[in-house]
Amino acid sequence: MAGQKLCVCVCVCVCVWAVCPKDDFQEELVIRPLHSGDIYASFQFRTVWETDFTRGNKVSHYRLFPKSLGQVISKFSVRELHISFTQGYWRTMQWGQPFQPAPPGAELWVWFQDSVTDVDSTWKELTNVLSGIFCASLNFIDSTNTVQPSASFKPLGIGNVTDHRFLRYATLPREIVCTENLTPWKKLLPCGSKAGLAVLLKSEKLFHSSFHSQAVHIRPMCQDWECKTTSWELRQTLNVVFDLHTSAQGKREWSLFKMFSRTLTEACPLASSSKIYIDITDNPEQFEVSPATPLLSQASVLGDRRTFSVYDLTQQITFGTVRSLNLLIRWKSSEGDMLRPLLHGERYVAGYGLQTGEIHTLMYNYHPYRSFPVLLLDSVPWYLRLYIHTLTVTSKGKDNKPSYIHYQPSKDRVRPHLLEMLVQLPPNSVTEVTVQFERALLKWTEYTPDPNHGFYVGSSVISSLVPSIVAMDTNSTRERPLFSSFFPCKEESSYFVRVYTEPLLVNLPTPDFSMPYNVICLTCTVVAVGYGSLYNLLTRSFQIEEPNPGLAKRIANVIRKMRGVPPL
Amino acid sequence: MKILTLWSLFSTYLLASSLNIENHAAQFFSSGHTNNWAVLVCTSRFWFNYRHVANTLSVYRSVKRLGIPDSHIVLMLADDMACNHRNPKPATVFSHKNMELNVYGDDVEVDYRGYEVTVENFLRVLTGRLPPSTPRSKRLLSDDRSNILIYLTGHGGNGFLKFQDSEEISNVELADAFEQMWQKRRYNELLFIIDTCQGASMYERFYSPNLMALASSQVGEDSLSHQPDLAIGVHLMDRYTFYLLEFLEDIHPASKTNMNDLFKVCPKSQCVSTPGHRTDLFLRDPGSVLITDFFGSVRKVEITMETINLTDPIEQVEQSPVNGELQKERNSYVDQLPVSEIIHQKPKQRDWHPPDGFILGLWTLILLVFFKTLAFQETAVGSKPPYRVQ
């Protein structure tokens, strides 16, 4: 009897404990010194929650997962959400490939669930709600800058159905990123900016950099190796590149204090793992790191096998006797070159005048003997009227016909151009895509308050599976550092990479906005002067008038009137 | 006799303390408002108007420091100065040339920024007529017990304020907006501060009750800026707001300074222009209105020693794991670039739309021409001449 009772008690305990879905928080910082002397720091904060937003039941008990995002997911039936805010442009040839690529400005792409009936109105409401959460002007996303890619931007999370009707993609290249975007981003973290790695996120240092990108990625992922149940993953990433000359005064010596004006004192108490990785693949010939650590780890990321020193912040010995961690990275020599990235993209506008122009997109394949296919996505606003019959794709001087083209023409003031092409890049070559366009004249209320600045065209997206030198890790459930598990890897011989080109700034023919006022003034003056003169000529008549007599004469006249005698 | 004196003393003491309590109670309910809101607007664009953003941010800073939370502040900045590429110190906006005070701070939330700051959005925020999808942080959710502070700065003239170099708001529109707010019971008392040239013209046309207004200059006068900073290269702040910030830095949530002190901020000797104010529409005496009634969010608390029993916490509904319900198939990650799938992708079946105007017109023309030529041929070939040859 007692044994049975004990059994029942234990069962009840286990059941009650299993009711609350488990959530887990990990934080990580990767520091990679770059060959130009700059330093690249990438923060990743990941919350994994074993719950189900898709089913009808409401989730009401939030612990580590932020409530504002959880409510957005369940209300708008979102399957995947990726939003990024970037200031600056990533220079692939000098810095290599980033861990999470992002275009300048704001970028938002969302996969909705199959249950959504009207995707466009849900998209509009979602952008408005996100603009309130992130203090950004995302409410400017409407049908004129939203596209529905047909082959790019496949879901990064798990899922079996990929009907592109449920995908929406939009960019705002003009969007400014500043502390007001960082503040709500930091408030989504479980520890806020009070403990753990988020203590380093001080806006005065982060925005005084060559590149700053913060992003939020939400996607469903496998819970275990069987992958029958899904859990939701929220990744908040922040990539920043500090410039050698502005932040380090030209000296090739970096430390946490120099980069962030803070040192670390503790890990976030809510985090199950809190680590710093420093890329020491080029150590010890190039630079030295102090304090030294015995922990080393190897990871194959972005097609290369890199070695990292690991600092585990959950262990108290990492902080040493001074109870604070300030990593120091000192260069010893500046020779050696980095691994050249295999894929690179550039874009510019050619032509002169304010009527026509030409967009040139260049895609570089630096692999010596392998060719690989790339998917190019171009979204051009409606006021640049593309002439698709002038589209040419040339590699090494010869015509290169794409194996897949999807073109959706624009409609004035309704939707932009969408051009997607699958192009095979020959080895060691440059592929050039050119298309001519004509500039439209906007209605005078459609101009921004500063139209002479120009109008932005969003970056092109080049997605590709690049052949890799080392074998990539395809086991997604093994414990790996966060930076190597962002893009899912299905085969060992290649890795997925997405490259963004520069945004374009084009001048549209701008009218002189003071002209209506000038014209009204001039016309009214001319009409008044002309009509007035004519009226005077026609209606003016002349009368003879006696001049006013002098004082003496007037007095004499008065006396004469009194006497009854006619006046002078 | 002694008992009588003791009794009289006791009764006077009781009376005095009850009066005291009544005084306290009167003070407790004197202002009549229960929540505070602030709408702070900077209407100027371009780098050389740095000072207007600094003005608005310094008022934002004071208002936050005195207790109004971000959820009750609607901050509208027409351009970004802190992360502007011309700013030698990014993510900072300074108010004084020695760069002592960074009014931008580390914890700022801007609700309307850049091109969103328009006359239409400003009036919609005031009157509450916003589209249904507008998020809460962009709304002024005030009620009839709210005290609202409205601060405007930018370039203005006699009877208008310029928004972003492309449109203006006139004093008549502003007065009508406040009247709409009064009729919809959207405020209890409203303090309106404006720092532009000829600012007093903006409050000339007000006609709703419970409005108090302050301006940095009279009609015909220009408001001047304070001092330039040679490192940043622009003027950092306007005089009136600079001295207003100095005045507000001395205010703390418990201070008893009243509006009459606020009217004395920045006399002509410091400001060069003559600040003005208007209190005829305000029902209370300005001397009895505390600064914290508008700039702060003072919570009235009542301390009690009673114990209160909380109800039992809500039990979490047990969610039995639905294992056997549906046959779960194995999920996997999607192939990011399925080349063969993409190449053999079928084009989307687009819905058939009826032909639009141009095609219809073209076909009508073709049919007309066709039938006309047919009729012409018939008349030319097979018909009899209309008259007979005699």
Side-chain angles (χ1 to χ4, degrees):
Chain A
M1 194 58 195
Q4 267 182 350
K5 263 196 190 166
L6 190 62
C7 219
V8 162
C9 280
V10 166
C11 285
V12 162
C13 285
V14 164
C15 283
V16 161
W17 176 72
V19 153
C20 274
K22 286 197 294 156
D23 48 8
D24 177 55
F25 175 66
Q26 296 170 326
E27 54 179 20
E28 168 188 291
L29 164 62
V30 181
I31 298 182
R32 192 210 284 177
L34 302 169
H35 278 262
S36 47
D38 307 329
I39 197 154
Y40 169 35
S42 168
F43 291 83
Q44 273 207 49
F45 302 94
R46 182 173 92 151
T47 310
V48 180
W49 197 18
E50 292 166 14
T51 184
D52 203 351
F53 285 113
T54 54
R55 236 169 276 257
N57 49 10
K58 282 169 117 68
V59 179
S60 52
H61 186 65
Y62 289 87
R63 198 175 144 254
L64 295 177
F65 201 92
K67 185 172 177 185
S68 49
L69 291 180
Q71 288 181 329
V72 162
I73 298 173
S74 42
K75 178 159 187 225
F76 297 108
S77 309
V78 164
R79 187 170 134 198
E80 256 187 56
L81 186 136
H82 301 269
I83 184 166
S84 71
F85 298 96
T86 312
Q87 178 206 64
Y89 175 65
W90 182 269
R91 295 170 214 288
T92 315
M93 293 314 285
Q94 289 157 318
W95 300 338
Q97 293 282 1
F99 293 121
Q100 292 90 32
E107 186 202 39
L108 172 66
W109 57 281
V110 175
W111 274 91
F112 290 97
Q113 306 275 358
D114 312 12
S115 52
V116 175
T117 44
D118 188 357
V119 182
D120 288 313
S121 64
T122 319
W123 169 252
K124 189 91 190 86
E125 284 178 29
L126 176 65
T127 50
N128 275 310
V129 166
L130 289 174
S131 85
I133 295 177
F134 291 106
C135 286
S137 328
L138 296 174
N139 46 325
F140 284 135
I141 293 179
D142 55 7
S143 64
T144 58
N145 46 22
T146 309
V147 290
Q148 191 183 318
S150 65
S152 310
F153 292 102
K154 294 260 183 255
L156 288 176
I158 59 172
N160 288 333
V161 179
T162 58
D163 187 356
H164 279 259
R165 276 188 303 134
F166 296 105
L167 169 64
R168 291 290 183 271
Y169 173 81
T171 45
L172 291 173
R174 186 78 204 262
E175 193 65 18
I176 299 157
V177 186
C178 208
T179 313
E180 64 244 25
N181 304 110
L182 186 64
T183 310
W185 189 93
K186 283 198 286 193
K187 286 183 182 164
L188 296 173
L189 297 170
C191 280
S193 52
K194 308 251 184 325
L197 290 170
V199 158
L200 299 175
L201 301 176
K202 288 293 156 202
S203 56
E204 283 182 21
K205 285 291 192 177
L206 284 179
F207 290 103
H208 198 42
S209 56
S210 310
F211 178 81
H212 170 96
S213 169
Q214 61 197 55
V216 172
H217 301 277
I218 303 176
R219 59 178 177 173
M221 53 172 273
C222 292
Q223 224 169 64
D224 49 19
W225 66 272
E226 265 185 16
C227 216
K228 291 222 166 127
T229 45
T230 64
S231 48
W232 284 85
E233 179 196 75
L234 163 70
R235 272 190 203 231
Q236 288 181 252
T237 63
L238 195 142
N239 292 335
V240 60
V241 174
F242 291 104
D243 188 51
L244 173 69
H245 299 283
T246 50
S247 304
Q249 289 90 43
K251 282 204 296 241
R252 281 175 173 245
E253 191 179 296
W254 290 100
S255 69
L256 278 186
F257 190 78
K258 213 172 196 184
M259 291 196 277
F260 304 108
S261 69
R262 288 284 184 287
T263 58
L264 289 166
T265 49
E266 56 165 347
C268 174
L270 299 168
S272 63
S273 107
S274 176
K275 294 200 169 94
I276 300 184
Y277 293 85
I278 302 196
D279 190 334
I280 53 164
T281 321
D282 299 317
N283 210 19
E285 310 92 46
Q286 295 257 306
F287 52 86
E288 62 170 6
V289 179
S290 64
T293 175
L295 294 169
L296 287 177
S297 117
Q298 287 217 331
S300 45
V301 61
L302 296 171
D304 195 12
R305 190 146 205 92
R306 315 287 297 182
T307 317
F308 297 89
S309 303
V310 183
Y311 294 82
D312 192 350
L313 297 178
T314 49
Q315 310 289 330
Q316 203 49 39
I317 52 163
T318 321
F319 297 103
T321 46
V322 293
R323 304 271 185 91
S324 95
L325 179 64
N326 183 17
L327 298 167
L328 201 62
I329 302 170
R330 207 178 291 117
W331 253 258
K332 284 201 265 190
S333 68
S334 51
E335 294 110 42
D337 44 25
M338 63 172 191
L339 181 71
R340 202 154 68 142
L342 295 172
L343 178 64
H344 176 50
E346 269 175 18
R347 194 162 76 143
Y348 57 90
V349 173
Y352 59 90
L354 285 175
Q355 187 167 7
T356 53
E358 213 170 272
I359 299 181
H360 291 246
T361 311
L362 293 130
M363 297 185 279
Y364 296 85
N365 176 1
Y366 287 119
H367 203 285
Y369 51 84
R370 289 278 301 271
S371 72
F372 49 86
V374 299
L375 194 56
L376 172 69
L377 172 76
D378 245 321
S379 162
V380 180
W382 64 266
Y383 40 80
L384 297 186
R385 303 210 168 99
L386 295 181
Y387 291 123
I388 290 294
H389 72 278
T390 58
L391 177 70
T392 60
V393 183
T394 47
S395 311
K396 289 184 174 170
K398 288 186 296 201
D399 217 9
N400 183 353
K401 191 160 145 54
S403 25
Y404 169 79
I405 301 186
H406 171 72
Y407 174 64
Q408 192 188 51
S410 71
K411 222 169 174 183
D412 270 9
R413 299 175 182 90
V414 170
R415 60 166 195 246
H417 298 272
L418 172 66
L419 178 63
E420 266 186 283
M421 294 194 295
L422 185 68
V423 183
Q424 189 82 5
L425 299 185
N428 216 7
S429 68
V430 180
T431 306
E432 187 169 344
V433 178
T434 59
V435 63
Q436 286 179 7
F437 65 87
E438 185 190 62
R439 298 169 213 236
L441 187 66
L442 301 176
K443 295 184 183 165
W444 81 305
T445 48
E446 289 173 345
Y447 285 99
T448 54
D450 52 351
N452 290 299
H453 179 86
F455 288 78
Y456 281 87
V457 178
S459 314
S460 299
V461 188
I462 303 172
S463 328
S464 164
L465 278 172
V466 178
S468 128
I469 307 166
V470 298
M472 302 298 294
D473 195 356
T474 52
N475 189 354
S476 57
T477 51
R478 206 166 60 104
E479 193 61 39
R480 335 185 251 183
L482 294 177
F483 59 87
S484 58
S485 59
F486 186 64
F487 287 115
C489 211
K490 285 216 141 172
E491 22 172 275
E492 291 188 343
S493 56
S494 59
Y495 62 99
F496 181 72
V497 77
R498 199 174 271 147
V499 175
Y500 290 92
T501 62
E502 298 96 326
L504 301 173
L505 185 60
V506 289
N507 265 320
L508 291 183
T510 311
D512 183 356
F513 293 102
S514 61
M515 276 319 281
Y517 170 75
N518 294 342
V519 165
I520 292 171
C521 278
L522 200 64
T523 319
C524 290
T525 312
V526 165
V527 165
V529 168
Y531 176 71
S533 319
L534 200 65
Y535 181 79
N536 269 340
L537 279 174
L538 293 175
T539 57
R540 197 160 43 189
S541 63
F542 293 97
Q543 292 169 338
I544 299 174
E545 199 179 274
E546 296 281 338
N548 221 4
L551 188 63
K553 264 207 179 161
R554 265 198 280 168
I555 296 172
N557 277 340
V558 164
I559 297 168
R560 279 182 162 225
K561 207 163 45 175
M562 284 197 312
R563 280 170 57 193
V565 173
L568 288 166
Chain B
M1 196 57 198
K2 273 190 194 167
I3 295 170
L4 200 60
T5 46
L6 270 173
W7 171 246
S8 56
L9 276 170
F10 187 60
S11 56
T12 43
Y13 170 71
L14 267 178
L15 205 64
S17 62
S18 67
L19 275 173
N20 217 8
I21 290 173
E22 269 179 27
N23 260 351
H24 275 301
Q27 256 184 354
F28 206 79
F29 294 109
S30 67
S31 62
H33 73 278
T34 57
N35 55 76
N36 284 84
W37 287 82
V39 178
L40 311 172
V41 184
C42 160
T43 60
S44 308
R45 175 163 276 277
F46 305 123
W47 173 245
F48 51 83
N49 290 321
Y50 181 103
R51 58 189 189 278
H52 297 141
V53 172
N55 289 349
T56 318
L57 285 172
S58 42
V59 178
Y60 171 76
R61 178 205 142 76
S62 312
V63 146
K64 248 180 107 156
R65 196 177 51 85
L66 291 171
I68 302 187
D70 268 313
S71 54
H72 282 226
I73 303 178
V74 177
L75 178 62
M76 303 170 83
L77 297 179
D79 201 0
D80 171 58
M81 299 302 164
C83 287
N84 196 315
H85 296 293
R86 285 163 132 159
N87 193 349
K89 289 193 169 290
T92 58
V93 174
F94 291 109
S95 64
H96 191 268
K97 71 170 182 214
N98 289 335
M99 298 201 202
E100 298 158 354
L101 189 57
N102 173 18
V103 288
Y104 195 56
D106 214 13
D107 188 26
V108 59
E109 285 185 20
V110 182
D111 303 303
Y112 287 85
R113 57 190 206 147
Y115 298 130
E116 291 179 288
V117 179
T118 57
V119 173
E120 187 191 335
N121 280 347
F122 175 59
L123 292 177
R124 280 184 186 277
V125 163
L126 285 184
T127 54
R129 294 154 93 169
L130 291 158
S133 53
T134 318
R136 280 184 77 100
S137 58
K138 288 185 167 177
R139 288 180 189 256
L140 178 66
L141 298 164
S142 56
D143 51 26
D144 64 324
R145 285 247 152 283
S146 311
N147 273 12
I148 308 182
L149 164 72
I150 297 186
Y151 178 83
L152 292 175
T153 182
H155 287 289
N158 189 356
F160 68 92
L161 170 63
K162 190 169 72 157
F163 266 69
Q164 292 217 43
D165 213 23
S166 64
E167 47 183 6
E168 304 98 35
I169 186 172
S170 65
N171 47 5
V172 176
E173 280 176 356
L174 198 57
D176 287 340
F178 287 153
E179 176 64 15
Q180 272 197 51
M181 286 175 79
W182 175 250
Q183 293 200 2
K184 287 168 79 164
R185 298 284 177 266
R186 279 171 69 78
Y187 69 89
N188 175 34
E189 285 169 350
L190 200 145
L191 175 63
F192 175 77
I193 305 183
I194 184 161
D195 187 353
T196 62
C197 302
Q198 306 192 49
S201 62
M202 290 303 284
Y203 60 65
E204 273 172 359
R205 300 292 194 112
F206 288 173
Y207 55 94
S208 318
N210 268 345
L211 291 178
M212 194 188 310
L214 278 113
S216 60
S217 56
Q218 300 293 334
V219 175
E221 283 180 349
D222 285 338
S223 288
L224 301 176
S225 59
H226 191 229
Q227 47 178 231
D229 178 285
L230 296 174
I232 298 178
V234 284
H235 285 258
L236 293 183
M237 234 163 123
D238 279 332
R239 282 173 192 249
Y240 181 73
T241 313
F242 182 80
Y243 291 108
L244 181 69
L245 176 66
E246 243 182 39
F247 172 77
L248 289 173
E249 287 287 301
D250 290 330
I251 309 280
H252 54 90
S255 64
K256 299 278 170 218
T257 357
N258 56 37
M259 282 294 161
N260 284 332
D261 304 318
L262 191 62
F263 297 153
K264 293 198 204 104
V265 162
C266 209
K268 195 171 165 84
S269 53
Q270 280 176 331
C271 248
V272 184
S273 58
T274 321
H277 54 90
R278 181 178 174 176
T279 52
D280 56 316
L281 295 166
F282 206 74
L283 295 176
R284 287 194 289 155
D285 171 39
S288 70
V289 180
L290 299 175
I291 301 281
T292 50
D293 276 352
F294 288 104
F295 284 90
S297 180
V298 185
R299 290 265 176 275
K300 308 273 196 293
V301 280
E302 187 190 304
I303 302 173
T304 175
M305 302 297 257
E306 307 169 1
T307 51
I308 300 172
N309 286 326
L310 297 170
T311 53
D312 294 318
I314 302 166
E315 290 296 327
Q316 185 76 7
V317 172
E318 202 174 293
Q319 298 179 10
S320 52
V322 274
N323 264 328
E325 263 192 22
L326 16 109
Q327 188 67 28
K328 291 246 178 90
E329 71 276 12
R330 204 192 157 137
N331 295 318
S332 59
Y333 286 100
V334 179
D335 202 358
Q336 288 299 305
L337 195 71
V339 178
S340 52
E341 210 183 284
I342 290 172
I343 292 176
H344 300 302
Q345 206 164 332
K346 271 204 288 262
K348 263 192 312 186
Q349 294 298 330
R350 268 198 261 125
D351 319 315
W352 181 82
H353 290 287
D356 64 343
F358 176 70
I359 305 291
L360 264 176
L362 191 67
W363 276 106
T364 320
L365 183 68
I366 291 170
L367 286 168
L368 261 173
V369 169
F370 175 69
F371 283 117
K372 264 263 156 46
T373 50
L374 200 65
F376 185 66
Q377 275 181 11
E378 245 176 75
T379 53
V381 167
S383 64
K384 295 193 201 137
Y387 58 91
R388 283 181 205 244
V389 179
Q390 289 285 347

